[in-house]
Amino acid sequence: MTAPERPLDRTRLTAALEHANLPSLVAVLHQLTGDRRWLADPYRPTRSRGMDDNDLGGFSPEVRAELRAAAADAVTGWADGRLPAVPAPTGEALAEIMSVAVGEPVPPEYAAMTAEDMGFAPAPVRPAPPNDLRVIVIGAGVSGILAAIKLAEAGIAHVVLEKNADVGGTWLENSYPGAGVDTPSHLYSYSFAPRAWSTHFGKRDEVWAYLRDVADRHGLRERIRFGTEVVSAVHGPGERRWTVRTATGETFTADAVISATGQLNRPKLPPIPGLDRFRGPIFHTAQWPADLDVAGKRIAIVGTGASAMQVVPAIAPDVARLTVFQRSPQWVAPNDVYFSPIEEGAQYLLDHVPYYRLWYRTRLAWNTNDRVHPALQKDDTWEHPERSVNAMNDGHRRVFTRYLESELDGRPDLVAKALPDYPPFGKRMLLDNGWFAALRRENVDLVTEAVAEITETGVRGVDGAECEADVVVLATGFETHKILFPIEVRGRSGRRIDEVWGPEDARAHLGITTPDFPNLFLTCGPGTVLGHGGSYITTAECQVRYIVDLLVTMLERDIAAVECRPEVEAEYVRRHDEAHERMIWTHPGMGNWYRNDAGRVVSALPWRIVDYWAMTREPDLADFVTEPAPP
């Protein structure tokens, strides 16, 4: 952590420290000074619920002032050339500082993952030996951008085939009103590419701009073929290479293929009669017309998942009437900073105070990654399995229920409609971004029945509710179970991958590699979506690191192809399914998009993030049948 080139503005620093997250500042103080008193009382933060209280760490006004003054001195000393006393803590030392910073004990197993994310013990870049390996990456969204960056760093030639006209994937395609992340902005970022986010939860335009900026800084556009939609990828009997064909009939060949198509990629249109009869605009949220003006119109929305929850508050003030058809209610968590800007002072600290950005991100990761995982495990002795899966989960239910009742106070009709009867986290948890306030509006109706048909002039529910509409919006999700859909992928045997898996029952070792498909690697593959929290970008970095490391190992050992052993995949799938049988997403009280119609969870990751990080830390060649490179 080098000192700034320009003199530090002490006055501005002092003013900015009034906006500091004090628990993060405690960790910074210890690193800069080496003084262990900052790791002991009265400087150990306590946990609390509100964002403001978390920023203040539960400290008294006197301790807050002492911390800010000490930080001003320490940062000024660093700016004047004083070296940090603890520049790169790892192992037990890092776990100790983390425990102080997050306000509770951190198991030592998190130290290695955190040290890598913070850059204290970065994973070494293993350059590949001179080679003529060629890789095709399908997709230029979050994972495709990452794969291209890491392949280039390793010295492996590649081309990215992207169906759209720009990078961004789902963040390019989903431009509906209110679209944004439900992961804190500083966590929904590549570990090596921070950004000066304007809000705590990035909205669509800023997230898309971030991905474009990362692609531009790494010179990716020269390696991306835009407007190139892949329709098939065939390995074929007796072949050593993959042949990839596009919608225009163009053909590419490569030694390996990395799929980066994601799971929120292809809109899912429900089999509702009459979709083609409606006289006005009717579309999926991912296909929102850029020129649509909803002001003064009657809008019907089918669905109450994540997209609908963002759309409804965004358009409710402008429309004449908004009718939401809800098949089942969703659990909603409070969030008091969803729209809040990151203040100038806080941004100054992120940009100018050494280690502060790293600790701020680490606290976000700790609070949103694995902390809820124990609450999702079924307790066979729990007395109320119909409403929750264990005592901790029941505690979450009480908190979320109280919040819902307070937001809908005076509207028992809405409470009855909006309160779920299944355990919290049983479906994807959603953040309140004005949802309850929107439901209370006089021009908003919540209809608790599924849709029977779309008529020429509106929507009819299964119990007879009629809704006249000028616009119908289908907030009905994506084809999440059809991994690689609609691309025709054929392996060594000539069989299509959807024939091997079945139509909605995908499986793969680590969610990355599967037998009969040599040198085919998946990102965001089956069983790797984060249902318990965290950032998908963390998962993508695990997967891309694994894939690129495996390719480099192949080149070092003159291996032409690797193919996952069937018994290895079978054992991983067995453990994956057994883990899910003990988790909330197989609870019979609700449906969710994580599991297929047969009840098997095919989308969500059952492991803690730290577990998956360890599993993908280093590929094991013993998991593969290998084929030597030709002489």
Side-chain angles (χ1 to χ4, degrees), residues 313-377:
I315 67 173
D318 301 321
V319 303
R321 196 89 206 159
L322 181 57
T323 305
V324 183
F325 282 82
Q326 170 187 277
R327 189 167 56 181
S328 64
Q330 302 276 0
W331 283 107
V332 181
N335 189 289
D336 53 2
V337 296
Y338 187 82
F339 291 107
S340 299
I342 295 176
E343 296 177 327
E344 182 181 353
Q347 190 61 59
Y348 182 87
L349 299 179
L350 291 165
D351 291 340
H352 296 282
V353 172
Y355 307 115
Y356 182 82
R357 180 187 293 275
L358 300 179
W359 281 109
Y360 188 81
R361 173 181 162 98
T362 294
R363 276 178 48 84
L364 289 174
W366 178 256
N367 289 329
T368 61
N369 281 357
D370 289 340
R371 291 187 75 248
V372 78
H373 198 264
L376 310 185
Q377 310 302 311

Side-chain angles (χ1 to χ4, degrees), residues 189-490:
S189 310
Y190 300 112
S191 61
F192 55 86
R195 179 184 177 86
W197 294 96
S198 66
T199 62
H200 292 280
F201 287 82
K203 305 309 176 281
R204 179 265 180 180
D205 288 354
E206 189 169 11
V207 176
W208 183 33
Y210 169 71
L211 295 174
R212 296 201 313 272
D213 290 345
V214 171
D216 290 340
R217 287 201 304 271
H218 289 269
L220 300 191
R221 293 183 185 276
E222 63 188 33
R223 303 195 297 277
I224 302 174
R225 291 285 302 272
F226 293 109
T228 305
E229 182 172 7
V230 172
V231 296
S232 69
V234 178
H235 192 275
E239 296 183 9
R240 289 181 177 270
R241 295 168 69 81
W242 283 90
T243 299
V244 175
R245 290 185 172 82
T246 72
T248 60
E250 197 171 3
T251 299
F252 297 82
T253 60
D255 302 286
V257 171
I258 299 174
S259 167
T261 58
Q263 290 192 31
L264 306 181
N265 178 255
R266 300 287 178 170
K268 185 175 185 178
L269 299 180
I272 301 174
L275 286 176
D276 58 346
R277 294 208 309 265
F278 184 64
R279 293 174 180 172
I282 180 170
F283 50 84
H284 190 276
T285 49
Q287 298 162 333
W288 195 283
D291 59 350
L292 178 67
D293 182 3
V294 298
K297 292 185 171 60
R298 300 167 301 173
I299 312 295
I301 295 185
V302 180
T304 52
S307 299
M309 187 159 286
Q310 293 182 337
V311 169
V312 169
I315 67 173
D318 301 321
V319 303
R321 196 89 206 159
L322 181 57
T323 305
V324 183
F325 282 82
Q326 170 187 277
R327 189 167 56 181
S328 64
Q330 302 276 0
W331 283 107
V332 181
N335 189 289
D336 53 2
V337 296
Y338 187 82
F339 291 107
S340 299
I342 295 176
E343 296 177 327
E344 182 181 353
Q347 190 61 59
Y348 182 87
L349 299 179
L350 291 165
D351 291 340
H352 296 282
V353 172
Y355 307 115
Y356 182 82
R357 180 187 293 275
L358 300 179
W359 281 109
Y360 188 81
R361 173 181 162 98
T362 294
R363 276 178 48 84
L364 289 174
W366 178 256
N367 289 329
T368 61
N369 281 357
D370 289 340
R371 291 187 75 248
V372 78
H373 198 264
L376 310 185
Q377 310 302 311
K378 297 175 184 174
D379 179 357
D380 293 336
T381 66
W382 178 241
E383 297 177 351
H384 306 288
E386 75 287 351
R387 75 185 191 201
S388 50
V389 294
N390 59 38
M392 186 183 299
N393 188 246
D394 203 55
H396 287 300
R397 180 185 182 88
R398 292 193 298 272
V399 170
F400 298 149
T401 298
R402 286 196 299 267
Y403 178 70
L404 180 149
E405 290 173 343
S406 68
E407 290 296 302
L408 298 179
D409 184 40
R411 291 293 305 271
D413 58 321
L414 285 178
V415 171
K417 291 179 177 181
L419 184 62
D421 60 1
Y422 57 86
F425 298 95
K427 296 176 182 283
R428 177 182 175 181
M429 279 299 302
L430 303 177
L431 298 181
D432 186 11
N433 61 337
W435 171 254
F436 291 130
L439 293 185
R440 298 181 67 108
R441 295 181 61 91
E442 292 185 359
N443 66 330
V444 176
D445 295 313
L446 182 63
V447 178
T448 56
E449 58 189 85
V451 173
E453 68 171 334
I454 306 295
T455 68
E456 291 183 348
T457 57
V459 180
R460 183 173 66 81
V462 294
D463 295 332
E466 295 278 355
C467 167
E468 296 290 315
D470 303 307
V471 178
V472 174
V473 180
L474 303 173
T476 50
F478 298 84
E479 297 284 3
T480 54
H481 300 156
K482 297 180 179 179
I483 308 295
L484 297 173
F485 174 82
I487 302 172
E488 177 188 347
V489 180
R490 292 184 182 271

Side-chain angles (χ1 to χ4, degrees), residues 409-621:
D409 184 40
R411 291 293 305 271
D413 58 321
L414 285 178
V415 171
K417 291 179 177 181
L419 184 62
D421 60 1
Y422 57 86
F425 298 95
K427 296 176 182 283
R428 177 182 175 181
M429 279 299 302
L430 303 177
L431 298 181
D432 186 11
N433 61 337
W435 171 254
F436 291 130
L439 293 185
R440 298 181 67 108
R441 295 181 61 91
E442 292 185 359
N443 66 330
V444 176
D445 295 313
L446 182 63
V447 178
T448 56
E449 58 189 85
V451 173
E453 68 171 334
I454 306 295
T455 68
E456 291 183 348
T457 57
V459 180
R460 183 173 66 81
V462 294
D463 295 332
E466 295 278 355
C467 167
E468 296 290 315
D470 303 307
V471 178
V472 174
V473 180
L474 303 173
T476 50
F478 298 84
E479 297 284 3
T480 54
H481 300 156
K482 297 180 179 179
I483 308 295
L484 297 173
F485 174 82
I487 302 172
E488 177 188 347
V489 180
R490 292 184 182 271
R492 189 188 298 274
S493 69
R495 296 180 67 195
R496 295 201 317 265
I497 201 165
D498 57 327
E499 294 174 337
V500 174
W501 285 339
E504 293 192 344
D505 199 25
R507 56 197 178 275
H509 177 52
L510 300 172
I512 296 174
T513 179
T514 189
D516 196 41
F517 296 86
N519 292 4
L520 173 66
F521 307 107
L522 311 177
T523 62
C524 199
T528 62
V529 168
L530 292 174
H532 71 278
S535 168
Y536 169 68
I537 292 183
T538 301
T539 307
E541 292 196 6
C542 290
Q543 293 167 344
V544 169
R545 179 190 61 213
Y546 178 95
I547 294 166
V548 174
D549 192 53
L550 182 54
L551 291 171
V552 172
T553 300
M554 290 167 57
L555 290 167
E556 291 173 340
R557 303 190 185 186
D558 290 326
I559 296 171
V562 293
E563 181 180 340
C564 183
R565 294 182 182 275
E567 65 273 19
V568 169
E569 183 195 65
E571 173 61 15
Y572 178 83
V573 172
R574 181 192 66 78
R575 293 191 296 112
H576 170 279
D577 291 353
E578 286 185 356
H580 273 304
E581 284 302 316
R582 300 189 296 269
M583 293 189 73
I584 195 168
W585 298 305
T586 52
H587 189 283
M590 77 288 164
N592 55 56
W593 66 262
Y594 299 141
R595 71 184 186 214
N596 62 17
D597 290 341
R600 177 174 177 262
V601 178
V602 296
S603 293
L605 187 77
W607 326 114
R608 298 176 305 168
I609 293 173
V610 70
D611 298 326
Y612 191 69
W613 179 87
M615 291 176 186
T616 56
R617 189 70 188 89
E618 185 176 353
D620 186 351
L621 280 181

